[in-house]
Amino acid sequence: MMKLYISPTSPYARKVRMVIIEKGLEDLVEEISLNPLDDGAVDVIPNPLCLVPTLERERGSALADSHLICAFLDSLSTRNPLVPDDDARWDVLHLQSLCDGMMDKAFSAVMERRRPEGERSEAWESRWLVGIDRTLDAIEEGWPNDEPAFDLGAISLISLLTYLDLRLPERAWRSSRPKLAAWLESKAARDSVTRTVYPS
């Protein structure tokens, strides 16, 4: 049995958890929920960076970083491949990369707001938030007319958009991005989405 160390509010962890469900690997992975910022977490999470998600495999080193974990999980089964083998592969990985970058910026903004008064940088927070808005606008503008495949790019986008709802609701990302908003709503009842909702 593999062990997946997660924080329930981590968008990176949600991405991995959705991949596990989409690939039908639930019986192979035990979830261990914890806060990586807590004292003692470094003694529990089996990677020196103390990051979540981390996947502890039955054989071999533990894997940290969601894109690496997702690639490994996708390789375990031919069921429902989440990254295509043709040229569309690069579009899927590109969308995942954009979403991971926005997750990084959103997380940085959230952590900046938690710093004590007088230590916060409004300039950095603004820069991160502008980067998120600019990237969302680019995805909205390039959104395909046909229904896109439910692949690793889609999973990454769901994890990102719902994290913005959770942590940065005042950004109201839907207001100027109707295509993304409609697409996200259309996926709300999917099993991997409903089973990995962030705790409120």
Side-chain angles (χ1 to χ4, degrees), residues 4 11-13 15-17 19 51-55 63-75 82-83 89 92-101 103-104 152-153 155-156:
L4 179 67
Y12 313 98
K15 181 172 68 166
V16 171
R17 295 170 68 210
V19 166
L51 294 175
V52 292
T54 288
L55 182 69
L63 303 179
D65 211 331
S66 62
H67 74 273
L68 177 61
I69 297 172
C70 288
F72 172 74
L73 293 171
D74 197 31
S75 75
L82 297 175
V83 179
R89 171 185 187 86
V92 172
L93 294 179
H94 178 58
L95 181 56
Q96 177 188 218
S97 180
L98 289 177
C99 291
D100 282 356
M103 289 177 198
D104 292 345
L152 187 55
I155 288 172
S156 302

Side-chain angles (χ1 to χ4, degrees), residues 10 21 27 32 34 43 50 55 76 97 113 126 131 137 166 197:
S10 164
I21 294 169
D27 292 342
I32 300 174
L34 72 163
D43 298 320
C50 195
L55 182 69
L76 294 182
S97 180
R113 293 178 179 185
S126 176
D137 288 342
L166 176 71
V197 171

Side-chain angles (χ1 to χ4, degrees), residues 22-180:
E22 291 291 333
K23 297 292 293 186
L25 301 173
E26 300 99 310
D27 292 342
L28 301 180
V29 183
E30 175 190 0
E31 285 188 6
I32 300 174
S33 179
L34 72 163
N35 184 342
L37 301 179
D38 285 347
D39 292 340
V42 69
D43 298 320
V44 177
I45 300 174
N47 81 71
L49 294 172
C50 195
L51 294 175
V52 292
T54 288
L55 182 69
E56 186 175 16
R57 299 181 291 170
E58 293 180 309
R59 294 184 300 277
S61 59
L63 303 179
D65 211 331
S66 62
H67 74 273
L68 177 61
I69 297 172
C70 288
F72 172 74
L73 293 171
D74 197 31
S75 75
L76 294 182
S77 169
T78 57
R79 169 182 166 178
N80 193 17
L82 297 175
V83 179
D85 291 328
D86 57 17
D87 284 346
R89 171 185 187 86
W90 306 113
D91 293 328
V92 172
L93 294 179
H94 178 58
L95 181 56
Q96 177 188 218
S97 180
L98 289 177
C99 291
D100 282 356
M102 286 187 283
M103 289 177 198
D104 292 345
K105 291 180 181 297
F107 180 77
S108 294
V110 169
M111 296 308 291
E112 190 69 23
R113 293 178 179 185
R114 294 180 180 178
R115 290 164 65 91
E117 290 286 351
E119 295 183 14
R120 300 174 191 168
S121 171
E122 292 184 6
W124 275 112
E125 181 181 333
S126 176
R127 185 170 183 170
W128 293 321
L129 296 177
V130 167
I132 293 171
D133 288 342
R134 184 172 57 241
T135 308
L136 287 178
D137 288 342
I139 295 173
E140 172 80 12
E141 183 178 349
W143 197 252
N145 292 325
D146 298 330
E147 174 70 13
F150 197 88
D151 51 29
L152 187 55
I155 288 172
S156 302
L157 187 56
I158 289 171
S159 299
L160 176 275
L161 294 175
T162 53
Y163 184 72
L164 295 178
D165 288 337
L166 176 71
R167 294 300 195 206
L168 300 169
E170 77 284 352
R171 302 303 297 171
W173 64 264
R174 290 174 175 80
S175 61
S176 58
R177 300 163 192 107
K179 294 177 184 176
L180 287 180

